[in-house]
Amino acid sequence: LFKSLDENTLFSRPTYAALLNVLDNYKRMTGQAESFSSQQITEQETFLKETMLNTKLGRELYGLLYTKGIYGSESEFIEDLKNMWFGLYSRNNNVLDSSGFEHIFAGEIKGGKVSGFHNWIQFYLNEKRGVLNYYSHSFNGPWSNYPDVLGLQFMWDGYYKQVGSEVIGSSPEFDLAIYTLCYIARPGKQCRLSLGGTELIIQTYTWDNSSYGNGKKYIASAYPVSM
Protein backbone atom coordinates (compact mmCIF):
# COMPACT_ATOMS: atom_id res chain seq x y z
CA LEU A 1 0.00 0.00 0.00
CA PHE A 2 2.76 2.44 0.95
CA LYS A 3 5.48 3.23 -1.56
CA SER A 4 7.41 5.79 0.46
CA LEU A 5 7.24 7.81 3.65
CA ASP A 6 9.54 10.51 5.01
CA GLU A 7 10.05 8.84 8.36
CA ASN A 8 12.81 11.18 9.53
CA THR A 9 10.52 14.18 9.27
CA LEU A 10 7.27 12.58 10.36
CA PHE A 11 8.39 10.30 13.17
CA SER A 12 10.51 13.00 14.80
CA ARG A 13 7.36 14.99 15.55
CA PRO A 14 6.42 14.64 19.24
CA THR A 15 2.98 13.05 18.76
CA TYR A 16 4.26 10.51 16.23
CA ALA A 17 7.28 9.64 18.38
CA ALA A 18 4.98 9.21 21.38
CA LEU A 19 2.67 6.92 19.40
CA LEU A 20 5.57 4.72 18.25
CA ASN A 21 6.68 4.29 21.86
CA VAL A 22 3.26 2.97 22.89
CA LEU A 23 2.48 0.76 19.89
CA ASP A 24 5.07 -1.90 20.76
CA ASN A 25 3.89 -2.42 24.35
CA TYR A 26 1.21 -5.04 23.61
CA LYS A 27 0.70 -8.75 23.17
CA ARG A 28 -1.58 -8.96 20.16
CA MET A 29 -3.21 -12.30 21.09
CA THR A 30 -6.37 -11.93 23.15
CA GLY A 31 -6.42 -14.21 26.15
CA GLN A 32 -2.88 -13.20 27.11
CA ALA A 33 -2.82 -10.79 30.05
CA GLU A 34 -1.26 -7.40 29.47
CA SER A 35 1.12 -5.92 32.02
CA PHE A 36 3.00 -2.64 31.84
CA SER A 37 6.27 -1.46 33.31
CA SER A 38 6.54 1.98 34.90
CA GLN A 39 8.29 3.12 31.70
CA GLN A 40 5.41 1.90 29.56
CA ILE A 41 2.85 3.64 31.77
CA THR A 42 4.88 6.83 31.41
CA GLU A 43 4.78 6.33 27.63
CA GLN A 44 0.98 6.14 27.76
CA GLU A 45 0.82 9.36 29.76
CA THR A 46 3.27 11.08 27.41
CA PHE A 47 1.18 10.08 24.40
CA LEU A 48 -1.96 11.60 25.93
CA LYS A 49 -0.21 14.81 26.97
CA GLU A 50 1.58 15.29 23.63
CA THR A 51 -1.57 14.70 21.58
CA MET A 52 -4.19 16.35 23.78
CA LEU A 53 -2.36 19.13 25.66
CA ASN A 54 0.51 20.07 23.36
CA THR A 55 -1.34 20.36 20.04
CA LYS A 56 -3.88 22.92 18.86
CA LEU A 57 -6.31 20.14 17.96
CA GLY A 58 -6.11 18.50 21.37
CA ARG A 59 -6.53 21.81 23.17
CA GLU A 60 -9.57 22.62 21.06
CA LEU A 61 -11.12 19.28 22.00
CA TYR A 62 -10.48 19.93 25.67
CA GLY A 63 -11.88 23.46 25.37
CA LEU A 64 -15.08 22.14 23.79
CA LEU A 65 -15.56 19.45 26.44
CA TYR A 66 -14.74 21.97 29.18
CA THR A 67 -17.40 24.42 27.96
CA LYS A 68 -19.91 21.54 27.89
CA GLY A 69 -19.16 20.81 31.53
CA ILE A 70 -17.79 17.34 30.85
CA TYR A 71 -14.37 18.09 32.35
CA GLY A 72 -13.42 20.72 34.89
CA SER A 73 -9.66 20.68 34.41
CA GLU A 74 -6.94 19.41 32.09
CA SER A 75 -5.82 16.90 34.70
CA GLU A 76 -9.36 15.47 34.94
CA PHE A 77 -9.53 15.30 31.14
CA ILE A 78 -6.23 13.43 30.81
CA GLU A 79 -7.01 11.06 33.69
CA ASP A 80 -10.34 10.10 32.16
CA LEU A 81 -8.78 9.53 28.74
CA LYS A 82 -6.12 7.38 30.38
CA ASN A 83 -8.82 5.14 31.83
CA MET A 84 -11.06 5.26 28.76
CA TRP A 85 -8.28 4.41 26.28
CA PHE A 86 -5.66 2.49 28.26
CA GLY A 87 -7.71 0.85 31.01
CA LEU A 88 -7.58 -2.93 30.67
CA TYR A 89 -10.53 -5.29 30.30
CA SER A 90 -11.00 -8.89 29.16
CA ARG A 91 -11.94 -9.91 25.63
CA ASN A 92 -10.95 -13.55 26.14
CA ASN A 93 -10.14 -16.07 28.87
CA ASN A 94 -11.15 -13.75 31.76
CA VAL A 95 -7.77 -12.03 31.83
CA LEU A 96 -7.04 -8.33 31.41
CA ASP A 97 -5.88 -8.66 27.82
CA SER A 98 -7.26 -5.65 25.95
CA SER A 99 -7.91 -1.92 25.88
CA GLY A 100 -9.40 0.58 23.49
CA PHE A 101 -5.98 1.80 22.46
CA GLU A 102 -4.64 -1.68 21.79
CA HIS A 103 -7.71 -2.71 19.81
CA ILE A 104 -7.93 0.42 17.65
CA PHE A 105 -4.34 1.59 17.24
CA ALA A 106 -2.25 -1.58 17.63
CA GLY A 107 -4.65 -4.32 16.54
CA GLU A 108 -5.36 -7.71 18.07
CA ILE A 109 -5.85 -11.35 17.10
CA LYS A 110 -9.05 -12.99 18.27
CA GLY A 111 -10.58 -16.23 17.03
CA GLY A 112 -7.85 -16.64 14.43
CA LYS A 113 -8.61 -13.29 12.78
CA VAL A 114 -7.42 -9.71 13.02
CA SER A 115 -9.60 -7.66 15.35
CA GLY A 116 -9.52 -3.87 15.41
CA PHE A 117 -6.37 -2.45 13.76
CA HIS A 118 -7.60 0.94 12.53
CA ASN A 119 -4.39 2.98 12.45
CA TRP A 120 -2.43 3.66 9.27
CA ILE A 121 0.92 4.13 11.03
CA GLN A 122 0.70 0.65 12.54
CA PHE A 123 -0.24 -0.61 9.07
CA TYR A 124 2.78 1.13 7.51
CA LEU A 125 5.21 -0.17 10.14
CA ASN A 126 4.09 -3.77 9.79
CA GLU A 127 4.04 -3.62 6.00
CA LYS A 128 7.59 -2.24 6.07
CA ARG A 129 8.71 -5.10 8.33
CA GLY A 130 7.27 -7.59 5.87
CA VAL A 131 4.70 -9.05 8.27
CA LEU A 132 1.65 -7.40 6.71
CA ASN A 133 0.43 -8.13 3.19
CA TYR A 134 -1.97 -5.60 1.69
CA TYR A 135 -4.47 -7.27 -0.64
CA SER A 136 -6.89 -4.58 -1.83
CA HIS A 137 -9.33 -1.93 -0.74
CA SER A 138 -13.11 -2.03 -1.08
CA PHE A 139 -13.68 1.63 -0.25
CA ASN A 140 -11.78 4.82 -1.09
CA GLY A 141 -13.26 8.08 0.05
CA PRO A 142 -14.66 10.60 0.72
CA TRP A 143 -11.62 12.73 -0.18
CA SER A 144 -9.63 12.72 -3.41
CA ASN A 145 -6.23 12.94 -1.66
CA TYR A 146 -4.75 12.19 1.74
CA PRO A 147 -5.81 12.15 4.50
CA ASP A 148 -8.53 9.81 3.24
CA VAL A 149 -10.49 6.78 4.38
CA LEU A 150 -9.75 3.32 3.01
CA GLY A 151 -11.55 0.05 3.66
CA LEU A 152 -8.72 -2.48 3.54
CA GLN A 153 -8.26 -6.22 3.17
CA PHE A 154 -4.93 -7.57 4.42
CA MET A 155 -3.07 -10.44 6.04
CA TRP A 156 -1.19 -9.67 9.26
CA ASP A 157 1.46 -12.27 9.93
CA GLY A 158 -0.85 -15.09 8.85
CA TYR A 159 -4.11 -13.64 10.17
CA TYR A 160 -6.76 -12.17 7.88
CA LYS A 161 -8.68 -8.91 8.10
CA GLN A 162 -11.61 -8.86 5.70
CA VAL A 163 -12.42 -5.16 6.06
CA GLY A 164 -10.44 -2.79 8.22
CA SER A 165 -11.14 0.90 7.78
CA GLU A 166 -8.75 3.64 8.79
CA VAL A 167 -7.97 7.26 8.05
CA ILE A 168 -4.81 7.18 5.93
CA GLY A 169 -2.36 10.03 6.48
CA SER A 170 -3.97 11.46 9.62
CA SER A 171 -1.94 12.51 12.65
CA PRO A 172 -2.07 10.62 15.97
CA GLU A 173 -3.76 13.62 17.58
CA PHE A 174 -6.43 13.66 14.86
CA ASP A 175 -7.31 9.99 15.34
CA LEU A 176 -7.36 10.23 19.12
CA ALA A 177 -9.32 13.49 19.16
CA ILE A 178 -11.95 12.49 16.61
CA TYR A 179 -12.55 9.08 18.19
CA THR A 180 -12.69 10.58 21.69
CA LEU A 181 -15.12 13.29 20.60
CA CYS A 182 -17.42 10.80 18.92
CA TYR A 183 -17.20 8.33 21.80
CA ILE A 184 -18.19 10.98 24.33
CA ALA A 185 -20.86 12.61 22.15
CA ARG A 186 -22.36 9.50 20.50
CA PRO A 187 -21.20 6.42 22.43
CA GLY A 188 -22.04 3.21 20.62
CA LYS A 189 -23.55 5.03 17.67
CA GLN A 190 -22.61 6.55 14.34
CA CYS A 191 -21.16 10.04 14.72
CA ARG A 192 -21.52 12.30 11.68
CA LEU A 193 -18.95 15.04 11.27
CA SER A 194 -18.24 17.69 8.67
CA LEU A 195 -14.54 18.15 7.88
CA GLY A 196 -13.86 20.86 5.33
CA GLY A 197 -17.42 20.50 4.12
CA THR A 198 -17.10 16.74 3.60
CA GLU A 199 -18.94 14.23 5.76
CA LEU A 200 -16.97 11.75 7.83
CA ILE A 201 -18.86 9.08 9.78
CA ILE A 202 -17.26 7.50 12.84
CA GLN A 203 -18.69 4.38 14.47
CA THR A 204 -17.88 3.80 18.13
CA TYR A 205 -18.62 0.93 20.48
CA THR A 206 -18.69 0.84 24.27
CA TRP A 207 -17.27 -1.98 26.36
CA ASP A 208 -20.26 -3.05 28.42
CA ASN A 209 -18.84 -5.96 30.43
CA SER A 210 -16.84 -3.86 32.90
CA SER A 211 -16.43 -0.22 33.84
CA TYR A 212 -14.18 2.27 35.59
CA GLY A 213 -14.77 5.13 37.99
CA ASN A 214 -18.44 5.73 38.67
CA GLY A 215 -19.77 3.30 36.08
CA LYS A 216 -17.97 4.83 33.10
CA LYS A 217 -17.51 2.69 30.03
CA TYR A 218 -14.20 1.84 28.40
CA ILE A 219 -13.97 2.40 24.67
CA ALA A 220 -14.27 -0.91 22.81
CA SER A 221 -13.76 0.24 19.23
CA ALA A 222 -13.88 3.23 16.91
CA TYR A 223 -13.29 3.55 13.19
CA PRO A 224 -14.36 5.49 10.11
CA VAL A 225 -17.38 3.99 8.36
CA SER A 226 -16.61 2.69 4.87
CA MET A 227 -19.57 2.13 2.60
Side-chain angles (χ1 to χ4, degrees), residues 32-173:
Q32 296 182 4
E34 299 288 355
S35 61
F36 304 114
S37 66
S38 59
Q39 174 62 35
Q40 290 172 331
I41 291 173
T42 297
E43 290 170 355
Q44 295 173 2
E45 295 169 345
T46 298
F47 173 71
L48 291 174
K49 291 175 181 177
E50 288 292 352
T51 54
M52 295 293 98
L53 299 184
N54 295 342
T55 65
K56 181 180 179 182
L57 181 62
R59 290 192 298 270
E60 286 184 357
L61 174 63
Y62 168 69
L64 172 65
L65 298 174
Y66 176 83
T67 61
K68 298 294 184 182
I70 296 172
Y71 299 111
S73 66
E74 288 184 349
S75 59
E76 181 187 354
F77 172 56
I78 293 298
E79 183 64 23
D80 191 47
L81 262 61
K82 183 179 178 181
N83 285 307
M84 181 192 303
W85 279 97
F86 291 102
L88 293 173
Y89 48 80
S90 178
R91 288 187 189 266
N92 190 17
N93 207 28
N94 293 319
V95 297
L96 298 178
D97 61 348
S98 185
S99 67
F101 179 89
E102 179 183 8
H103 182 82
I104 296 164
F105 282 84
E108 301 176 294
I109 304 299
K110 183 178 181 181
K113 295 181 180 180
V114 178
S115 180
F117 202 126
H118 301 291
N119 181 255
W120 76 270
I121 295 172
Q122 177 75 329
F123 192 106
Y124 165 79
L125 292 171
N126 280 271
E127 187 177 54
K128 181 186 176 184
R129 295 184 190 118
V131 296
L132 188 149
N133 187 9
Y134 162 68
Y135 287 161
S136 64
H137 61 267
S138 59
F139 176 83
N140 183 359
W143 293 278
S144 58
N145 55 13
Y146 297 111
D148 199 6
V149 176
L150 289 181
L152 302 164
Q153 295 84 42
F154 58 91
M155 189 75 77
W156 184 26
D157 203 16
Y159 299 94
Y160 184 57
K161 181 73 172 182
Q162 185 173 3
V163 180
S165 60
E166 47 200 66
V167 183
I168 309 293
S170 58
S171 66
E173 57 267 32

Side-chain angles (χ1 to χ4, degrees), residues 170-225:
S170 58
S171 66
E173 57 267 32
F174 176 88
D175 281 7
L176 187 67
I178 213 76
Y179 293 153
T180 298
L181 172 63
C182 284
Y183 186 69
I184 291 172
R186 301 284 188 272
K189 301 176 181 177
Q190 287 195 351
C191 174
R192 295 178 179 269
L193 305 164
S194 177
L195 298 179
T198 300
E199 184 179 57
L200 175 66
I201 304 173
I202 301 295
Q203 174 71 57
T204 68
Y205 289 95
T206 61
W207 183 257
D208 294 328
N209 297 332
S210 57
S211 59
Y212 68 92
N214 188 22
K216 290 189 173 184
K217 301 293 186 181
Y218 300 104
I219 187 167
S221 191
Y223 53 84
V225 174

